[in-house]
Amino acid sequence: MQDLYKTIAAPSEGYYTQLKSKFYCFAIPVDTVDQVKDIVAQYRKKFYDARHVCYAYVIGPDKSEFRANDDGEPSSTAGKPIHGQIVSRDLTNILVIVVRYYGGVNLGTGGLIIAYRSAAQEALDAAEVVEKQVEEVIVHNFQYAEMNAVMKIVKDTKCTVIAQNFDNDCTITLKIRQSEAENLRERLKKIAFA
């Protein structure tokens, strides 16, 4: 099972200019579409005097959520080339925004595609690409008498404890690599029948 994905470690920037038009690019790690909306709104506000604020994003380890936005540029001349740069590097959980300041000369569709692609490329070249694990959260309820057995499994599997509540009825919330989640569930289930 493939439970790794590539994203960027931190925001990065790039810059490209063509026929006096300036293209400022920002690559930002994100986890949700709501985050994307907030960040795009912030950039539109920050660069209120720019002609276009185009972007593309890909979210999810399976890359199932994605969008490309041309923000008034001719169809598929901005968002699609930006998205293409994300896809060509096999990245996810990333938002790439390109802010264009018009230089007075029309670039044509071919020129726009090259400019937006090149700006995105600059920002992504400057980014540190990291590999992350797809993780799963498991909540396990157990009796206090089973505490030692549960904690031994937690230690053996090297999962992360997110939350715990130890009373007569105990609950522990764990995070573990997705490919190892089923094994953890099975081991915890066996305690109850021991």
Side-chain angles (χ1 to χ4, degrees):
M1 171 185 240
Q2 177 67 329
D3 63 354
L4 296 172
Y5 63 92
K6 289 195 298 186
T7 189
I8 59 173
S12 63
E13 298 180 11
Y15 174 76
Y16 182 79
T17 182
Q18 187 172 326
L19 297 175
K20 297 182 182 172
S21 277
K22 295 181 173 98
F23 298 84
Y24 297 91
C25 186
F26 307 91
I28 304 147
V30 291
D31 293 312
T32 66
V33 175
D34 286 338
Q35 262 185 306
V36 168
K37 289 176 184 171
D38 290 345
I39 293 168
V40 169
Q42 289 169 21
Y43 276 76
R44 285 191 197 284
K45 192 174 181 181
K46 182 177 179 179
F47 297 99
Y48 65 91
D49 55 341
R51 178 71 66 97
H52 303 282
V53 179
C54 306
Y55 64 90
Y57 66 81
V58 177
I59 296 176
D62 58 356
K63 302 173 183 71
S64 60
E65 291 187 76
F66 59 90
R67 180 155 185 232
N69 185 305
D70 294 317
D71 191 38
E73 292 283 29
S75 181
S76 299
T77 60
K80 201 169 180 182
I82 298 168
H83 182 256
Q85 285 299 306
I86 297 170
V87 171
S88 71
R89 293 162 191 256
D90 195 30
L91 298 173
T92 189
N93 288 18
I94 185 170
L95 164 65
V96 178
I97 298 173
V98 179
V99 177
R100 178 188 183 193
Y101 283 93
Y102 183 61
V105 179
N106 288 337
L107 303 180
T109 56
L112 287 171
I113 290 168
I114 290 167
Y116 281 100
R117 181 178 60 221
S118 299
Q121 193 173 359
E122 288 293 322
L124 292 171
D125 284 349
E128 180 193 348
V129 174
V130 292
E131 205 168 53
K132 291 191 173 184
Q133 294 178 3
V134 180
E135 295 181 313
E136 206 167 303
V137 174
I138 296 173
V139 178
H140 180 66
N141 299 307
F142 59 98
Q143 297 301 309
Y144 191 81
E146 299 166 337
M147 173 76 72
N148 287 342
V150 169
M151 295 317 281
K152 181 177 181 347
I153 291 171
V154 168
K155 185 178 176 189
D156 289 350
T157 58
K158 295 183 174 85
C159 56
T160 306
V161 177
I162 300 172
Q164 53 194 16
N165 177 24
F166 301 139
D167 207 352
N168 287 339
D169 291 323
C170 304
T171 303
I172 192 164
T173 306
L174 306 168
K175 186 163 64 171
I176 191 164
R177 186 171 177 165
Q178 190 177 49
S179 60
E180 298 168 10
E182 195 53 41
N183 176 43
L184 177 60
R185 271 194 207 89
E186 288 301 315
R187 288 186 67 184
L188 291 170
K189 201 187 298 180
K190 285 178 185 170
I191 293 172
F193 299 110

